[in-house]
Amino acid sequence: MGEWSTITYLRTADLDHAERAVTALCAGEGYAPLPPGTPPGHDTWRPGPSYVQPLWTMALIPGAGEWTMVMTLPHALLGTRRPGADRPRLVDLAVAAGCDAFTFDLFDGTAWVLAEANPRGEMALSGFLDDDWRYFEEPLSEDNADVGFRLLDVPEPLRQAGRRGLMSFLDIGELMVGDRYPDEFGPADRPWSRHWLWYNGVQAELQDGRDIPVPGVRVRLFAA
């Protein structure tokens, strides 16, 4: 077993704007927002396609500079397509927000994909999934097996981080957060490590119905 991580980065530092974009994305599929602060319970995720899940959960986490982290339940929500669509929801989110977005997806420490999208509805994929050359419904190309930014114009440190393969998820995360969060934070009875952000820690807390002790986080639930 290895590391797992699914994090989307939206190119805006405005959490209100990010929240409006995810709300529009969910509303487009018939998911209405529940009042802020609604307890997620323990049923925000269950096995099965994202479009049959009764609740979608979005966590928006302020990054450093111009990026906001977006983490979801179901985990694969933004990597998959809405029914009848010809592109993943990541592209829909970029269009709704009017800004760039990308997801770095790490699968069991053995395969990884970088999915990029821009507000013009364009997308690019790089990476691989073991012997399966598909990222959910999207075909992967052996010519782009090496992970790297191919669509978005990003600063050189981020571009270099995106080329590190397995370790890209850590380097990208650290660049996005900078010094915004300390190495250790959270309540004394449930301390958190900043690195827990990169290991699906947020989704684990959401799935278990616990508060997320990350400063500035917004958790929003949407019900079909």
Side-chain angles (χ1 to χ4, degrees), residues 8-10 18 20-23 25 58 70 78 87-99 101 117-118:
T8 294
Y9 298 90
L10 191 61
R20 287 191 294 270
V22 299
T23 299
L25 177 76
M58 303 278 191
V70 183
L78 297 178
R87 64 189 189 185
R89 292 183 178 94
L90 176 69
V91 182
D92 296 332
L93 178 61
V95 172
C99 57
N118 67 25

Side-chain angles (χ1 to χ4, degrees), residues 110-217:
T110 61
W112 43 90
V113 169
L114 174 66
E116 305 170 67
N118 67 25
R120 296 184 297 278
E122 300 169 325
M123 68 171 298
L125 294 167
S126 58
F128 64 95
L129 290 179
D130 295 329
D131 296 326
D132 185 5
W133 290 97
R134 297 193 71 82
Y135 176 63
F136 304 109
E137 296 99 327
E138 315 309 318
L140 296 170
S141 169
E142 294 187 46
D143 293 336
N144 294 333
D146 293 332
V147 169
F149 285 96
R150 289 169 167 79
L151 175 66
L152 304 185
D153 182 12
V154 298
E156 189 59 26
L158 182 54
R159 187 171 298 280
Q160 292 295 331
R163 294 173 179 157
R164 291 206 60 202
L166 171 62
M167 301 310 295
S168 289
F169 81 111
L170 283 174
D171 286 1
I172 289 172
E174 288 297 321
L175 282 172
M176 294 304 196
V177 163
D179 296 325
R180 186 178 184 95
Y181 306 109
D183 288 340
E184 302 290 336
F185 59 90
D189 61 338
R190 194 161 60 88
W192 249 59
S193 165
R194 185 176 72 229
H195 288 163
W196 192 225
L197 288 169
W198 321 136
Y199 288 93
N200 278 339
V202 171
Q203 287 96 330
E205 300 284 39
L206 292 175
Q207 190 168 324
D208 291 340
R210 295 193 296 265
D211 291 334
I212 300 170
V214 178
V217 65

